Amino acid sequence: MKIAVMGGDGFIGWPTSLHLSDAGHDIHILDNLSRRWIDTELGVQSLTPMDSIQERTRIWHAETGRRIHFNLIDLAKDYELLKNWLSEHRPDAVIHFAEQRAAPYSMKSDRHKNYTVNNNVSATHNLLNALTELNLDAHLIHLGTMGVYGYSTVGAAIPEGYLPVGIETSGGETVNQEILYPSNPGSIYHMTKCLDQLLFQFYAKNDGLRVTDLHQGIVWGTHTEQTRRHAQLINRFDYDGDYGTVLNRFLIQAAIGYPLTVHGTGGQTRAFIHIQDSVRCIELALKNPPARGARVEIFNQMTETHRVRDLAEMIARMSGANIAWLPNPRKEAAENELIVRNEKFRDLGLDPITLEAGLLGEIVDVAKKFAYRVDRARVPAVSAWTKDIAATINHDPEGKRLKSVS
C-alpha cells in the first residue's frame, strides 16, 4: 500500500514508518517538525541523539534499499498544500500522528493551551475535510489516547469505544443503543482527542470515511526491530517533565541516580503498551479496515495496567533508587482503578510484550549510555494544571539548590 504517515518524525510515527516500510509498504512522511522546535523552546533534547529526518531516511535507504519520502507540510496550517499532496498521491491509507501529544505541555500556559487546540483540532479537521473533498477512500488510522475515557472509577471494564445503554422512551419502554463512551478529559491535550472523536463520528456518518481510532495507553520502551538496525535509526527518547512518559522517566532517573518522582499518592492506575506492540497494533488495524459507511472502528491499544507507585517500587527494588514523594501537578483523583477491555487486538493475533526485567534493563542501559545528555534541571514535572496547584510544585526534588541562611 501507499501510506501517508502524518507526524512520521515523532516518537511513535518514526518507528511506525520504519516498521511499515520494512513490511513492503510505500511510506510518505508528512510532518512540520514541530516536535523538534518544541525541544528548542523547552531547552531540552532527546536523551538519544537524533539526526535530521532527511539523514534518518537516507540511512534507512542505505540499510534496506527501501525509500521513505519526506514532505514538510503543516496539517493545521497548510490546508491547500495538504489537499494538493493527497490529490496527487492518493494514498491507500493515512496514519494520523500529527498532534501535540503531551498533557503537561498543553497545560503550561494559556499560549500552550491555544497552540494544542489550534494544532490538534485543525490538523484533524483539515485532513478529514481534504479526504472528503477529494472523494479519497483512504483508510484513516488515528492515534488517540486512553485518556478520552478519564480515570474515574466506575467499577466496570472500559469497553472498546462504545457503551451499551438503555434509554427510557416517553411510553415507558426501554430502547437499547450503543453510544460513544462518555468523554472525561483530564487535560487540554486529552480534550482535543475527545473533539477528534466527534469529528470522526460525523465524517464517517456524513461522508462515509473509513476511520479507525486507536485509544492508546502510555508507551514504554526504546527500540523496535527496525530501530536496532543502525545507530542513526534510533528513536527519540524523552525524559523531561513535559514529554517523558512515566515508566521511561523512572528508568532514566534510576540510571542517573535521580530519585524516582512519584506525584501525590502514586495511586493513579494507568494503561501501558511497549513501543514494539504499538507499531504492531497499527499494522493490525491497517490490515483490518472498517467498511465504507460503517461506524468508526475503535480499539483500546494497551496491554496491561499498573499503579504508578507499584512501578516506582518495582524499579527501586531493581535498581536501588530512592523514591521522592512529591505534590501532584495534575488535578485528578488521588487513587483510581482502571479495568480495560482489549480483546480486539488479541483476537487479531497480538501477543503482547509485558513488563519484564530484561526489557526494563535495556532502557536503563540506553539511559546510562547517553546520561551525559541529561539536563537534570529538566527532569522534574512542573507544569501545573491550575494556578493554585502551581504554588505547591516542588522544582527541586534532589534538594540541591542553594538555600539562604537565616
Side-chain angles (χ1 to χ4, degrees), residues 6-43:
M6 312 302 189
D9 187 47
F11 176 50
I12 308 295
W14 175 245
T16 299
S17 297
L18 296 185
H19 183 83
L20 295 177
S21 176
D22 204 27
H25 300 290
D26 179 16
I27 303 301
H28 296 254
I29 290 174
L30 281 68
D31 201 303
N32 67 353
L33 305 183
S34 60
R35 184 64 192 87
R36 294 174 184 257
W37 285 105
I38 289 172
D39 275 348
T40 302
E41 174 204 343
L42 296 177

Side-chain angles (χ1 to χ4, degrees), residues 321-338:
N322 295 319
I323 299 175
W325 301 87
L326 305 176
N328 192 349
R330 302 188 182 215
K331 189 172 184 177
E332 62 182 352
E335 307 268 337
N336 76 280
E337 302 292 337
L338 186 63

Side-chain angles (χ1 to χ4, degrees), residues 134-184:
L134 296 169
N135 194 28
L136 178 53
D137 184 28
H139 177 202
L140 173 60
I141 298 172
H142 172 253
L143 193 68
T145 170
M146 287 292 302
V148 300
Y149 300 123
Y151 295 107
S152 58
T153 299
V154 297
I158 294 175
E160 300 204 71
Y162 296 97
L163 180 69
V165 296
I167 301 171
E168 188 174 333
T169 68
S170 56
E173 299 175 344
T174 299
V175 176
N176 294 318
Q177 276 192 321
E178 279 198 319
I179 63 170
L180 277 176
Y181 194 91
S183 299
N184 187 20

Side-chain angles (χ1 to χ4, degrees), residues 348-361:
L348 292 175
L350 179 68
D351 182 16
I353 297 168
T354 53
L355 293 179
E356 295 177 8
L359 286 170
L360 296 175

Side-chain angles (χ1 to χ4, degrees), residues 202-224:
F202 173 78
Y203 275 94
K205 176 184 68 175
N206 194 68
D207 299 290
L209 293 192
R210 297 183 294 133
V211 182
T212 297
D213 199 8
L214 306 175
H215 292 175
Q216 180 163 262
I218 295 170
V219 180
W220 65 282
T222 48
H223 287 297
T224 64

